[in-house]
Amino acid sequence: MVRTRATVRDLRRQNRSVLLTALFLDGPLSRQQLSLATGLSPATASTITGELLDEGLLVEAGSVDSDGGRPRVLLRVNPAFGYVIGVDVGETGIKVELFDLAMTRLSTVDRLLTALEPALVADLIASGVDEVLAGVEASSVLGVGVGVPGTVEQGESAVVHAQTIGWDAVPLEKMIRAAGVTLPLLVENGAKTQGQAEMWFGAGRGARHAVIALVGSGVGIAVVAGGVVHRGATSNAGEWGHMTIAYGGRRCRCGARGCLEAYAGASAVLARYREAVRRDDSSLDEQSALEELLTSRSAVARRVVDESVGYLGAGIANLVNLFNPERVVLGGWAGLAFGAVKLDEIVAATSSHALRHPFGQVRIELALTGPDAVAVGAATLPLAVLLETGAPG
Amino acid sequence: MVRTRATVRDLRRQNRSVLLTALFLDGPLSRQQLSLATGLSPATASTITGELLDEGLLVEAGSVDSDGGRPRVLLRVNPAFGYVIGVDVGETGIKVELFDLAMTRLSTVDRLLTALEPALVADLIASGVDEVLAGVEASSVLGVGVGVPGTVEQGESAVVHAQTIGWDAVPLEKMIRAAGVTLPLLVENGAKTQGQAEMWFGAGRGARHAVIALVGSGVGIAVVAGGVVHRGATSNAGEWGHMTIAYGGRRCRCGARGCLEAYAGASAVLARYREAVRRDDSSLDEQSALEELLTSRSAVARRVVDESVGYLGAGIANLVNLFNPERVVLGGWAGLAFGAVKLDEIVAATSSHALRHPFGQVRIELALTGPDAVAVGAATLPLAVLLETGAPG
DNA sequence: GAGGTTAGTTCGCGCCTAAAAATAAGCCTC
DNA sequence: GAGGCTTATTTTTAGGCGCGAACTAACCTC
């Protein structure tokens, strides 16, 4: 439903956006190909590209023969037009990365976090941003995207809620500002930024309706409907982990019973295994422990793994039934570990819990990016703004 | 994400749509109020309303004093500009209704269905449409909306899949055409049309993110995200009933185990009660039986009801977690029956299974329309087309 | 009925895209 | 190697659109 009026200027804005997006996603194109791809007349494609070339947003990228006629001049987004910064706020550390417009990583700064203290996080982000900016004109940076744990309420300024790490209505955007960052800021949930990365550069490419399911210690999703990340009324949408899947079942860290996370998250899987073998073998870190569990040939281990696959399949099936995506991408470190050895079984479990018809429409695939894609996805946020508005600033 | 170029004509189209929608939803408005409400300049508001008046889409609707100055002339959508037809294909019969553009019901035709045979349904629809059209110029009918059980795959022409009544890829749109209907046809899932009615005229009014949960013998939902009904890749989205909620639990008619419908649908609630009392008291129809169960003071009945409330709450909580709506509307005949006596308990059960933050954003209310709203909602489909395109045809 | 106030209309401007025409830049043939 | 052919891009022209400013209409008060 359209809800707002349009003026003549909006036309140009939209057509610039369409053209720029086509160039960004489908590589170098000639003006003529652009005209075909976007539906714009050759005349308009020419004027708009002319404008964008003048502004430095585009550059020529060689030419190709056209059998018999004038060769086509290829155009592409100018990687050096500006930069974007992506920040990944993880549970143990912060990563700040600088990219050019072709999303080539130019520099990285890692900082360990001793405590998930909001003020500390804001300070580290600010200093990290300063550091990656060394030698770069700050005015040519389009913005800073920040991927954080928990849900992000987008309002006047972004506020973070993360029950599990004790962040209750943390005004992170304001705090980062206060710590000295003056660039445009875009704060978003880490699962959503990782999902964005997967949609643009990973297994989600080309899908208009997709669910990116991320299984780590906990579980989360990013839902893309009609090409747009689904956010809900207050950006809380996508709390897959605390979906009730076994009514009255295991207690979850959120306080409720029977949450998916209490069965299919890596921590929960390992806990179930420890209970089953009555042994507290927590000397290993979770990732190694899960690897060991997945490759173990003991009957108990196999049972726990199979059960986990069943729960995970049911959880995915619920997503398939509710969202009817054309693609489900399974990611996250635990998701990838499970998927590497059990993808077929996960698909089968999904099939047995999903309705036939929506299940028949979906392709379930493994993610192509790992958790390190959070920063990449975050960096795409300011880039997405550029593509949507068709102009910097 | 914008995906298609725009021409100068699109401006007018969009602005007509914005203006027409404002008039339809917010009753009679003066040109000046329209200008304010839509953001259009007074000049443009005036030219466009002039056009729409000329075309007969609008009519004047009296005037109101403006303290001291020229009075405002109120405008509204001309109810007599055209008609829309809504069809409700239920399990036991077909209802065809004719409305004017103010959605005033002008006539109704009911037909009993002896069998849910697609060809029979198509024939009955065609003859029903003929009958309600008696005395009405067919050319002034904007279209026929059809609400059907099962999911509707929107493609070249609509195809219906309804596993439970044995409809497997029924090309209903083509069949209705073949039966002689030449008007524009819009086929949609009945839950979605009922949800549409609730959004336009019921408890969903004004919400941009809402879930309409319909509990009858089975259960289903319509999800509205950002003001638009969420359809998914192939319009299968919203299969709430077969969400796994009790892993490994009761067998559902879909073949899987632990589906919500196997616990919270009216048929399932009654079945659970019958099992509990070890008595097959199926002499009553479902609606009376449920009423009796809900008012019974026996301990067993109360236990079954309370358990059902718990499952229903968990099911709603999953929706709250996943979609983060600002409103959940509980409807359907069984939903209304439960809600009438147990709404507080349902809200409490939802609260105990949902995450605190998304739950804090949502209002859970009872539907204002009953199952008879399927036809109303279906009739809004062609109307929505009119509002979106800003022009007939 | 003169002056004031608010609502709605008209007109000129600047901007937009599309279609048609012109130009540019290669290839091919003789 | 000159003319013709083909294809890509730019220029020109025409038709639309929304906006701001100026203008007209329709009421009120004194």
Side-chain angles (χ1 to χ4, degrees):
Chain A
M1 196 194 287
V2 181
R3 72 201 61 82
T4 161
R5 102 216 132 150
T7 75
V8 197
R9 300 280 172 82
D10 295 322
L11 281 186
R12 183 46 73 90
R13 213 182 339 266
Q14 175 167 345
N15 286 338
R16 279 173 69 112
S17 162
V18 166
L19 210 146
L20 210 50
T21 305
L23 271 176
F24 182 84
L25 294 180
D26 301 322
L29 293 170
S30 72
R31 301 183 206 331
Q32 194 234 20
Q33 289 172 304
L34 275 173
S35 164
L36 256 57
T38 61
L40 288 165
S41 74
T44 304
S46 193
T47 22
I48 294 182
T49 51
E51 236 177 71
L52 294 171
L53 279 163
D54 284 350
E55 294 168 20
L57 256 149
L58 300 184
V59 286
E60 299 196 342
S63 64
V64 291
D65 286 5
S66 68
D67 30 23
R70 174 175 176 173
R72 320 170 169 189
V73 176
L74 294 179
L75 302 172
R76 64 190 167 95
V77 176
N78 180 3
F81 175 77
Y83 305 91
V84 288
I85 294 176
V87 179
D88 173 8
V89 178
E91 308 237 334
T92 59
I94 284 176
K95 188 189 300 197
V96 181
E97 300 192 310
L98 178 75
F99 302 85
D100 64 15
L101 287 200
M103 287 306 288
T104 307
R105 185 181 286 111
L106 300 180
S107 70
T108 300
V109 167
D110 276 297
R111 294 261 199 268
L112 281 185
L113 261 182
T114 46
L116 263 171
E117 196 54 52
L120 176 62
V121 168
D123 280 344
L124 286 181
I125 291 177
S127 76
V129 167
D130 269 352
E131 190 167 331
V132 296
L133 278 181
V136 169
E137 184 95 28
S139 65
S140 60
V141 176
L142 294 171
V144 181
V146 183
V148 299
T151 64
V152 180
E153 195 170 349
Q154 306 285 354
E156 186 102 350
S157 97
V159 175
V160 181
H161 303 264
Q163 213 164 309
T164 52
I165 56 171
W167 286 20
D168 186 21
V170 172
L172 193 65
E173 183 172 341
K174 278 192 182 145
M175 297 176 71
I176 299 174
R177 280 249 170 280
V181 175
T182 54
L183 296 163
L185 266 176
L186 298 153
V187 182
E188 180 58 286
N189 164 262
K192 294 208 178 80
T193 69
Q194 196 181 335
Q196 181 107 329
E198 199 62 37
M199 289 302 293
W200 283 32
F201 311 111
R205 276 198 82 136
R208 292 192 52 71
H209 298 270
V211 175
I212 319 290
L214 301 170
V215 183
S217 303
V219 306
I221 50 171
V223 176
V224 174
V228 172
V229 175
H230 179 79
R231 289 197 162 73
T234 52
S235 304
N236 272 281
E239 283 293 347
W240 187 41
H242 303 285
M243 154 187 278
T244 303
I245 201 158
Y247 188 87
R250 293 173 69 89
R251 180 72 67 182
C252 173
R253 58 178 177 159
C254 77
R257 284 187 176 281
C259 294
L260 175 62
E261 188 166 302
Y263 290 90
S267 301
V269 172
L270 293 170
R272 292 211 331 277
Y273 178 64
R274 282 196 300 270
E275 286 168 24
V277 297
R278 289 191 189 71
R279 191 175 56 194
D280 192 355
D281 183 14
S282 49
S283 58
L284 290 167
D285 66 290
E286 276 194 337
Q287 303 206 18
S288 317
L290 185 68
E291 277 303 336
E292 199 175 293
L293 176 64
L294 282 169
T295 49
S296 164
R297 318 195 56 143
S298 89
V300 181
R302 291 218 310 258
R303 206 198 66 223
V304 168
V305 169
D306 287 347
E307 283 172 7
S308 304
V309 164
Y311 288 111
L312 187 56
I316 294 175
N318 284 356
L319 298 177
V320 170
N321 282 344
L322 281 179
F323 293 107
N324 180 216
E326 54 197 292
R327 208 165 305 164
V328 170
V329 178
L330 177 62
W333 64 265
L336 289 172
F338 264 98
V341 292
K342 293 281 179 183
L343 185 56
D344 290 346
E345 287 84 347
I346 294 172
V347 173
T350 304
S351 167
S352 75
H353 286 93
L355 285 180
R356 214 174 53 225
H357 195 245
F359 180 77
Q361 309 293 327
V362 76
R363 234 166 63 205
I364 300 178
E365 296 188 354
L366 287 186
L368 299 177
T369 62
D372 51 327
V374 171
V376 176
T380 65
L381 296 175
L383 192 44
V385 171
L386 172 70
L387 293 184
E388 262 160 49
T389 59
Chain B
M1 197 193 286
V2 181
R3 71 201 62 81
T4 162
R5 104 214 133 147
T7 74
V8 202
R9 300 282 172 82
D10 294 322
L11 281 186
R12 187 44 76 87
R13 214 182 338 265
Q14 175 166 345
N15 287 338
R16 281 172 69 112
S17 162
V18 166
L19 211 146
L20 211 50
T21 306
L23 271 177
F24 182 84
L25 293 179
D26 301 322
L29 293 170
S30 72
R31 300 176 224 278
Q32 194 233 20
Q33 289 172 306
L34 275 173
S35 164
L36 256 57
T38 61
L40 287 165
S41 73
T44 304
S46 193
T47 18
I48 295 182
T49 51
E51 237 178 72
L52 294 171
L53 279 164
D54 284 350
E55 295 168 20
L57 256 149
L58 300 183
V59 285
E60 300 195 342
S63 63
V64 291
D65 285 6
S66 68
D67 30 22
R70 173 175 176 174
R72 318 171 171 189
V73 176
L74 294 178
L75 303 172
R76 65 190 166 94
V77 176
N78 180 5
F81 175 77
Y83 305 91
V84 288
I85 294 176
V87 179
D88 173 8
V89 178
E91 309 236 333
T92 59
I94 285 177
K95 187 189 300 197
V96 181
E97 300 191 310
L98 177 76
F99 302 85
D100 65 15
L101 286 199
M103 288 305 288
T104 308
R105 185 180 286 111
L106 301 179
S107 70
T108 300
V109 168
D110 276 297
R111 293 261 200 267
L112 280 185
L113 261 182
T114 47
L116 263 171
E117 196 53 52
L120 176 62
V121 168
D123 280 345
L124 286 181
I125 292 177
S127 76
V129 167
D130 269 352
E131 189 166 333
V132 295
L133 278 180
V136 169
E137 184 95 28
S139 65
S140 60
V141 176
L142 294 170
V144 180
V146 183
V148 299
T151 64
V152 180
E153 195 170 350
Q154 306 286 354
E156 186 101 351
S157 98
V159 175
V160 181
H161 303 264
Q163 213 163 310
T164 51
I165 55 171
W167 286 20
D168 187 19
V170 171
L172 193 65
E173 182 172 340
K174 278 193 182 143
M175 297 175 71
I176 300 174
R177 281 248 170 281
V181 175
T182 55
L183 296 163
L185 265 176
L186 298 153
V187 182
E188 181 57 287
N189 164 262
K192 294 208 179 80
T193 68
Q194 196 181 335
Q196 182 107 328
E198 198 63 37
M199 288 302 293
W200 282 33
F201 311 112
R205 276 199 81 135
R208 292 191 51 71
H209 298 270
V211 175
I212 319 289
L214 301 170
V215 183
S217 303
V219 306
I221 49 170
V223 176
V224 174
V228 172
V229 175
H230 179 80
R231 289 198 162 73
T234 52
S235 305
N236 273 280
E239 281 294 346
W240 187 42
H242 303 286
M243 155 188 278
T244 303
I245 201 159
Y247 189 89
R250 293 173 69 87
R251 178 73 66 184
C252 174
R253 58 178 176 158
C254 77
R257 282 187 177 281
C259 294
L260 176 62
E261 187 165 303
Y263 289 90
S267 302
V269 172
L270 293 171
R272 290 212 331 278
Y273 178 64
R274 283 195 301 271
E275 286 168 24
V277 298
R278 285 192 191 73
R279 191 176 56 195
D280 192 354
D281 182 14
S282 48
S283 59
L284 291 167
D285 66 290
E286 276 194 338
Q287 303 206 18
S288 318
L290 185 67
E291 278 302 337
E292 199 174 293
L293 177 63
L294 281 170
T295 50
S296 165
R297 318 195 57 142
S298 88
V300 180
R302 291 218 310 258
R303 204 197 69 223
V304 168
V305 170
D306 287 346
E307 282 172 9
S308 305
V309 165
Y311 287 111
L312 187 56
I316 294 175
N318 285 356
L319 298 177
V320 170
N321 282 343
L322 281 178
F323 293 107
N324 179 216
E326 55 196 293
R327 209 166 305 164
V328 170
V329 178
L330 178 61
W333 64 266
L336 288 172
F338 264 97
V341 292
K342 292 281 179 185
L343 185 56
D344 290 346
E345 287 85 346
I346 294 171
V347 172
T350 304
S351 167
S352 75
H353 286 92
L355 285 180
R356 213 174 53 225
H357 195 244
F359 179 76
Q361 309 293 328
V362 75
R363 234 166 65 203
I364 301 178
E365 297 187 355
L366 288 186
L368 299 177
T369 63
D372 52 328
V374 171
V376 176
T380 65
L381 296 174
L383 192 44
V385 172
L386 172 70
L387 294 184
E388 262 160 50
T389 59

